Amino acid sequence: MHGIRGRLAAVLLAVSAVVAGTVAPAEAGRQGDQRVWTGTWATAASEHYEVSGMSEVTVRMPVHTSVGGSSVRIRLTNAYATDPVTIGHATVGLRDGGSAVARPYDLRFGGKRAVTIPAGGQAVSDPVGLAVPALADLVVSLHLPGQVTHITDHWWAQQTVYWTDYGAGDHAADTTGDDYTWTTTSWPFLSGVDVTAPRAGSVVALGDSITDGSYSTADSNRRWPDLLSARLNACRPGAGVLNAGITSNRITAGTETNPSALDRLERDVLSQPGARTLILFEGINDLGGASAEQIIAGMKTIAHRAHQRGMRVVGATIAPYKDFTWGGWSEETETRRQQVNAFVRDSGGIFDDYADFDRAVRDPADPQRLGAAYDSGDHLHPNDAGMKAFADSIDLTSLGLGRGCS
């Protein structure tokens, strides 16, 4: 619509102030009362596409928080664009259903209302005093006043995102959503939302389309990291969960806009504010083109780099996918999967702990196959029940977030 290119809906194997650097995990918010910046929501940039005729448009994006806090800021990215983009006005507020916002709060960037993000750059807003609840829907609105030629976004977000018509102007401060007349299902420019919260820290889920939530119910926050967040915040208030899943992502190989897990580790995991624990759930997309030894070597490197930054690392076993609708499974890839899973279960201290996602969703009668109760229908991507099985299989004490939780 309006020149935004159509997206390929084919299933892929798990197929799935402006700053030039990154935001350090230990960056503080309010140190005096032991509150620090902690990521409450994040996504990984995974696409860049051209648009024509786009100007004076506003986009409104709902996101689901994990940890709550007393103030909030947003992070924006123009990572893959070839031109700068100007944000003329940005707001944040609690959702009031659909595209409505109860009270939009103006955001500033270095004290200014507008910010221009250079190609390849990012921006972090000034904080605003808004009490953000845990497990709530927050809405970020961005007015794009100038000619927009390129958009960096995260596609297949499993979330309805609202747009005004081209030329409609600035509607970032609207409480109603009446002027948001069309929708997409990707998050443009937004890469993270942080809150000032007690020092409980956050978990980052590094994964592919399964972590991204593909084939979970849209607009319901039933991705496994969302469901893990619900568990954590029921017993350990203040724990964030950040989703760094990208459809088709691999450990051993990547592309310009879908870099390998190794290449994007700094951007999507190590630099996340408050990040203390990494859950690594990758490898299924590597099985067809890399050896088990290569996949394991990549996992070891990821764990080593995270440990160097003081993070705890939990490995997750690769789930079964025999008879995947779009192919790719063979006896050979199954052997590799079993070899990788054996390493994850007994890594010799490479991982601090592991989550047995394979065991959680496999068919007891045919362990190479995804259990029917957990199958979205393509024999690879879990449905909502499968996502819950993943989240429920994680031993919360293994996450090392400081307070006991059985």
Side-chain angles (χ1 to χ4, degrees):
M1 181 175 223
H2 291 289
I4 288 187
R5 72 176 192 186
R7 299 225 181 18
L8 178 64
V11 179
L12 302 173
L13 178 58
V15 225
S16 354
V18 179
V19 295
T22 54
V23 181
E27 183 179 352
R30 292 167 54 191
Q31 294 282 5
D33 62 358
Q34 297 301 299
R35 289 176 175 260
V36 297
W37 285 116
T38 301
T40 188
W41 176 90
T43 194
S46 63
E47 186 185 41
H48 159 237
Y49 60 95
E50 296 182 5
V51 292
S52 61
M54 177 184 278
S55 64
E56 287 297 337
V57 63
T58 308
V59 58
R60 176 161 282 182
M61 296 170 278
V63 302
H64 195 62
T65 67
S66 53
V67 61
S70 55
S71 58
V72 63
R73 70 182 183 189
I74 66 169
R75 288 178 279 129
L76 303 174
T77 181
N78 199 26
Y80 300 125
T82 57
D83 294 324
V85 64
T86 296
I87 310 298
H89 184 199
T91 64
V92 63
L94 295 174
R95 194 177 191 183
D96 195 26
S99 56
V101 182
R103 179 186 171 186
Y105 287 72
D106 287 340
L107 290 166
R108 301 270 174 173
F109 298 83
K112 299 179 180 179
R113 180 183 175 103
V115 61
T116 297
I117 311 173
Q122 60 179 322
V124 181
S125 77
D126 302 337
V128 62
L130 167 62
V132 177
L135 310 179
D137 284 345
L138 201 65
V139 177
V140 175
S141 303
L142 305 176
H143 169 230
L144 308 170
Q147 195 74 27
V148 180
T149 59
H150 300 82
I151 290 179
T152 292
D153 77 352
H154 179 95
W155 82 292
W156 212 346
Q158 297 297 93
Q159 175 65 59
T160 300
V161 169
Y162 305 90
W163 294 78
T164 66
D165 283 334
Y166 290 11
D170 181 7
H171 291 275
D174 290 7
T175 54
T176 72
D178 295 346
D179 285 291
Y180 292 87
T181 55
W182 57 286
T183 63
T184 58
T185 54
S186 64
W187 287 301
F189 303 114
L190 185 65
S191 62
V193 178
D194 309 324
V195 295
T196 50
R199 292 176 177 269
S202 60
V203 179
V204 186
L206 181 62
D208 48 45
S209 62
I210 298 177
T211 296
D212 207 7
S214 299
Y215 297 96
S216 64
T217 301
D219 295 321
S220 67
N221 303 303
R222 294 184 183 274
R223 312 163 192 86
W224 71 260
D226 295 319
L227 300 173
L228 173 61
S229 175
R231 287 188 66 205
L232 277 172
N233 280 283
C235 63
R236 188 184 280 123
V241 179
L242 307 179
N243 191 328
I246 297 180
T247 293
S248 303
N249 199 235
R250 301 184 182 195
I251 293 173
T252 60
T255 66
E256 179 186 2
T257 59
N258 193 344
S260 72
L262 285 161
D263 288 340
R264 68 188 184 94
L265 185 65
E266 178 68 37
R267 183 194 75 178
D268 292 341
V269 178
L270 304 182
S271 68
Q272 294 289 353
R276 292 193 182 179
T277 303
L278 163 63
I279 300 178
L280 176 60
F281 181 36
E282 289 250 20
I284 198 167
N285 293 316
D286 299 85
L287 293 173
S291 67
E293 291 77 15
Q294 289 171 319
I295 298 168
I296 291 168
M299 289 180 164
K300 288 179 177 180
T301 300
I302 289 170
H304 175 68
R305 289 174 58 190
H307 282 148
Q308 285 185 312
R309 299 289 280 272
M311 292 184 68
R312 188 172 177 83
V313 183
V314 175
T317 52
I318 303 174
Y321 68 104
K322 184 179 180 180
D323 297 331
F324 173 48
T325 300
W326 298 94
W329 185 92
S330 68
E331 293 291 347
E332 182 179 4
T333 62
E334 179 63 23
T335 297
R336 294 174 186 168
R337 186 178 75 91
Q338 296 295 346
Q339 291 172 329
V340 173
N341 284 353
F343 164 74
V344 172
R345 293 184 179 107
D346 186 11
S347 68
I350 302 299
F351 294 131
D352 298 286
D353 214 318
Y354 74 93
D356 207 337
F357 284 4
D358 169 37
R359 184 174 183 176
V361 298
R362 67 193 182 197
D363 183 346
D366 185 356
Q368 299 177 351
R369 193 187 307 271
L370 187 62
Y374 305 124
D375 194 344
S376 68
D378 70 357
H379 313 306
L380 182 150
H381 294 91
N383 57 18
D384 292 354
M387 295 289 181
K388 186 176 186 300
F390 286 156
D392 288 348
S393 72
I394 298 170
D395 178 0
L396 298 185
T397 63
S398 73
L399 301 178
L401 292 178
R403 279 178 280 177
C405 184
S406 58

